[in-house]
Amino acid sequence: MQGPRPVVLSGPSGAGKSTLLKKLLKDYENIFGFSVSHTTRQPRPGEVNGKDYHFVTREEMQKEIAAGEFIEHAEFSGNMYGTSKGAVQAVQAQNQICVLDIDIQGVKNIKKTDLNPIYISVQPPSIDILEKRLRDRKTETEESLLKRLTAARVDLELSKEPGLFDLVIINDDLEKAYSELKEILLEEIKKTQESRKS
Ligand SMILES: Nc1ncnc2c1ncn2[C@@H]1O[C@H](COP(=O)(O)OP(=O)(O)OP(=O)(O)O)[C@@H](O)[C@H]1O
Ligand SMILES: Nc1nc2c(ncn2[C@@H]2O[C@H](COP(=O)(O)O)[C@@H](O)[C@H]2O)c(=O)[nH]1
């Protein structure tokens, strides 16, 4: 079943994708649905299996990838991440706007599919601010933090490719960043709200 046009949120780890996404899901409950990815990383305190991620072993994930169950998958900072066909279908079956939170490798792989999402990159005002946000979040070891900062530099370079993203949001002031996000999504939001009335 084909739902409304999906949305891809990408950008360096710590840039604020989940923060923006949580606001969107809260303000537009039932309009947006989150594509729950699979990952082999360990859950963080408070993360719920099946809601934040499907937490799986590398063996389980490799088996499902081999069975053709994934739209895209990537290795990020020492762990596997991927979007299953089922994750997107579950949201589209509800006629909701499906939001994917994926890294830049995922963006490039989604571009090869017929998903046709709106591509948005959320970026930090600077690498120093990104590092501070990641440290303050207290989710990373020193090793994984350094890996994520290295990946962030690559992400910010690759994101400069013309046409890769429909919009780049610099997440300095959160409310301003959120307004920019809502503005680009306004048309899809309206269409989805209208379709509920008919
Ligand atoms: N505009 C902002 N100003 C200050 N802090 C922010 C802002 N946006 C997000 N943060 C904080 O920065 C940290 C990283 O944000 P968040 O977890 O949303 O990033 P992310 O892009 O989803 O990261 P990941 O890809 O690792 O999941 C969080 O602690 C969040 O509260
Ligand atoms: N290519 C994909 N990237 C994904 C997916 N799910 C999440 N991610 C990205 O991984 C990093 C790290 O996430 P974290 O939760 O460990 O901080 C971040 O950039 C996500 O956008 C996915 O299914 N495919």
Side-chain angles (χ1 to χ4, degrees):
M1 180 186 171
Q2 189 70 37
R5 201 170 167 204
V7 176
V8 160
L9 278 191
S10 194
S13 169
K17 302 177 297 291
S18 317
T19 306
L20 289 165
L21 187 52
K22 276 190 189 121
K23 281 170 82 67
L24 201 64
L25 292 171
K26 185 168 165 269
D27 289 353
Y28 297 94
E29 206 191 340
N30 202 29
I31 295 289
F32 290 94
F34 180 52
S35 160
V36 182
S37 293
H38 283 56
T39 184
T40 62
R41 85 151 161 73
Q42 289 301 306
R44 292 174 187 147
E47 282 185 331
V48 177
N49 190 28
K51 183 170 176 276
D52 298 289
Y53 279 106
H54 298 289
F55 294 100
V56 290
T57 63
R58 197 166 269 271
E59 292 68 35
E60 284 167 333
M61 188 137 170
Q62 278 164 343
K63 210 168 136 193
E64 290 184 32
I65 290 168
E69 290 173 22
F70 279 78
I71 300 174
E72 63 80 31
H73 60 90
E75 188 86 22
F76 179 89
S77 189
N79 285 298
M80 292 174 80
Y81 294 81
T83 308
S84 70
K85 292 176 182 170
V88 173
Q89 279 163 2
V91 176
Q92 292 190 327
Q94 302 295 315
N95 196 28
Q96 291 174 333
I97 303 172
C98 181
V99 189
L100 289 74
D101 176 344
I102 59 175
D103 82 330
I104 196 144
Q105 304 169 77
V107 168
K108 297 216 172 213
N109 287 328
I110 291 283
K111 292 248 168 183
K112 297 176 200 153
T113 73
D114 61 0
L115 197 69
N116 188 33
I118 298 168
Y119 292 95
I120 301 166
S121 174
V122 179
Q123 300 186 0
S126 69
I127 282 280
D128 286 352
I129 291 177
L130 183 74
E131 178 170 355
K132 183 175 183 326
R133 285 184 189 168
L134 275 177
R135 286 193 185 280
D136 289 351
R137 194 172 74 179
K138 296 185 177 11
T139 52
E140 307 309 315
T141 61
E142 190 61 24
E143 191 194 357
S144 73
L145 189 128
L146 294 178
K147 276 190 192 166
R148 281 168 188 252
L149 288 177
T150 301
R153 289 189 182 89
V154 175
D155 181 302
L156 293 174
E157 267 315 299
L158 294 178
S159 299
K160 292 178 186 161
E161 181 183 323
L164 190 59
F165 290 100
D166 298 301
L167 177 70
V168 173
I169 297 176
I170 307 295
N171 178 21
D172 188 355
D173 176 82
L174 185 62
E175 287 311 318
K176 186 168 172 285
Y178 184 52
S179 292
E180 289 173 31
L181 178 62
K182 279 193 295 187
E183 196 182 321
I184 192 175
L185 301 178
L186 206 60
E187 202 181 313
E188 276 318 302
I189 292 172
K190 276 188 191 157
K191 272 198 264 173
T192 308
Q193 284 170 332
E194 284 304 315
S195 75
R196 298 283 160 78
K197 289 179 192 160
S198 52

